[in-house]
């Protein structure tokens, strides 16, 4: 008996403005046999907005190891399944990697649609070099955090981090400790939303800004990489 494999679509959803949803994403969500959602309540609002009446199934970091095998069997049986997260592209600091890996291993075709990802607009609008960069996402909260910051202190590429408003100031202060207060930084919040804002300057200047104004909204922090040429020039001038 011959079976036709299904397709797994990884579909980005808006990080703020609903108009960032692509026409192709809407069509595929309507056509899919099943839509996997990080939070069915959040995704339900999105689907209702675009008049998408489709079956939603919860798929998140706490249950993905238990649900993935069954999803892969559905794909192998010929179903078309779409994966979305609460906002942005699944797999980028959101669930998605494990399912994609297992689907690929089973011979299922996986297609990821281009679309919203919070760090890209934050990086491009930062004014810092974006031809070469490293994406760090959320730093470890406790174990391994200091070690990672020490490793990044010599990173020459532009660095991109995600952070919650409750930890922005503490994180910036740690960056100052490891990278130096003169390092350039751009803090972008509420991307594509009504109150979108970028605060740019040295770490010392941006820290002072958020000491006076409480950080609000989800943040993307873009930090200048280490500039060895400038360091050598300063050392030469001081010498």
């Amino acid at each position: 008996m011959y079976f036709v494999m299904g397709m797994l679509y990884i579909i980005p959803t808006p990080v703020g403005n609903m108009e960032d949803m692509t026409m192709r994403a809407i069509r595929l969500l309507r056509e899919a046999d099943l839509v996997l959602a990080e939070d069915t309540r959040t995704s339900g609002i999105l689907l209702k907005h675009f008049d998408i009446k489709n079956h939603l199934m919860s798929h998140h970091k706490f249950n993905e190891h238990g649900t993935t095998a069954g999803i892969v069997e559905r794909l192998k049986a010929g179903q078309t399944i779409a994966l979305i997260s609460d906002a942005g592209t699944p797999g980028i600091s959101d669930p998605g990697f494990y399912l994609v890996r297992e689907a690929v291993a089973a011979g299922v075709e996986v297609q990821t649609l281009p679309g919203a990802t919070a760090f890209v607009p934050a990086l491009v609008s930062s004014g810092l070099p974006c031809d070469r960069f490293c994406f760090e996402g959320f730093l470890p909260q406790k174990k391994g955090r200091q070690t990672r910051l020490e490793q990044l202190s010599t990173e020459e590429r532009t660095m991109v981090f995600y952070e919650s408003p409750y930890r922005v100031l503490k994180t910036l202060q740690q960056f100052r400790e490891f990278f130096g207060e003169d390092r350039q930084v751009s803090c972008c919040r509420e991307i594509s939303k009504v109150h979108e804002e970028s605060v740019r300057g040295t770490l010392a200047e941006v820290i002072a800004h958020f000491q006076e104004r409480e950080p609000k909204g989800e943040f993307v922090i873009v930090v200048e990489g280490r500039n060895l040429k400038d360091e050598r020039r300063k050392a030469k001038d001081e010498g």
Side-chain angles (χ1 to χ4, degrees):
M1 187 178 292
Y2 178 72
F3 290 97
V4 178
M5 284 279 194
M7 176 83 78
L8 174 63
Y9 286 105
I10 309 301
I11 300 183
T13 55
V15 296
N17 195 317
M18 288 288 196
E19 292 180 2
D20 293 335
M21 192 75 169
T22 69
M23 295 173 66
R24 185 182 175 209
I26 294 170
R27 176 178 63 80
L28 289 173
L29 286 172
R30 285 175 177 159
E31 293 175 356
D33 296 303
L34 175 67
V35 177
L36 305 174
E38 183 180 2
D39 187 326
T40 54
R41 294 165 300 181
T42 301
S43 296
I45 295 170
L46 175 79
L47 268 57
K48 184 178 180 180
H49 179 85
F50 291 106
D51 195 30
I52 299 170
K53 300 178 177 69
N54 213 327
H55 178 58
L56 276 174
M57 175 177 158
S58 180
H59 183 82
H60 47 72
K61 65 180 181 180
F62 299 108
N63 74 355
E64 61 181 351
H65 287 270
T67 60
T68 292
I71 294 167
V72 170
E73 287 304 311
R74 288 190 182 210
L75 289 162
K76 288 166 66 176
Q79 287 194 6
T80 297
I81 298 178
L83 172 67
I84 58 177
S85 60
D86 289 349
T89 300
I92 306 296
S93 292
D94 276 327
F97 159 71
Y98 182 70
L99 174 59
V100 169
R101 186 185 71 181
E102 296 303 299
V104 169
V108 174
E109 186 173 353
V110 178
Q111 286 191 11
T112 301
L113 275 63
T117 303
F119 80 82
V120 173
L123 171 63
V124 174
S125 64
S126 69
L128 296 171
C130 52
D131 55 334
R132 295 174 65 248
F133 64 91
C134 64
F135 175 72
E136 290 294 318
F138 289 98
L139 285 167
Q141 285 305 301
K142 295 179 181 179
K143 186 178 180 181
R145 188 179 180 92
Q146 296 284 107
T147 301
R148 188 66 192 134
L149 286 170
E150 287 174 5
Q151 293 169 341
L152 290 171
S153 65
T154 58
E155 176 58 66
E156 296 179 45
R157 295 169 296 178
T158 301
M159 297 170 281
V160 183
F161 304 87
Y162 284 164
E163 193 53 278
S164 79
Y166 311 107
R167 294 189 293 267
V168 164
L169 190 54
K170 177 184 176 181
T171 296
L172 290 171
Q173 289 168 336
Q174 288 181 316
F175 287 168
R176 178 176 60 185
E177 177 186 347
F178 284 91
F179 305 153
E181 64 177 14
D182 294 329
R183 191 75 69 91
Q184 291 290 316
V185 63
S186 173
C187 288
C188 189
R189 70 182 189 92
E190 298 292 86
I191 292 170
S192 83
K193 298 179 183 177
V194 175
H195 300 292
E196 179 174 344
E197 177 187 35
S198 288
V199 179
R200 305 176 182 89
T202 64
L203 278 167
E205 291 167 342
V206 174
I207 287 169
H209 172 88
F210 287 118
Q211 284 175 331
E212 295 179 3
R213 299 171 183 83
E214 181 184 0
K216 294 181 180 180
E218 297 302 313
F219 278 78
V220 181
I221 305 175
V222 185
V223 184
E224 178 186 27
R226 184 181 181 186
N227 192 320
L228 293 175
K229 288 183 179 178
D230 279 356
E231 289 182 16
R232 294 190 190 103
R233 191 180 302 115
K234 287 179 182 179
K236 186 176 181 180
D237 291 343
E238 291 173 359

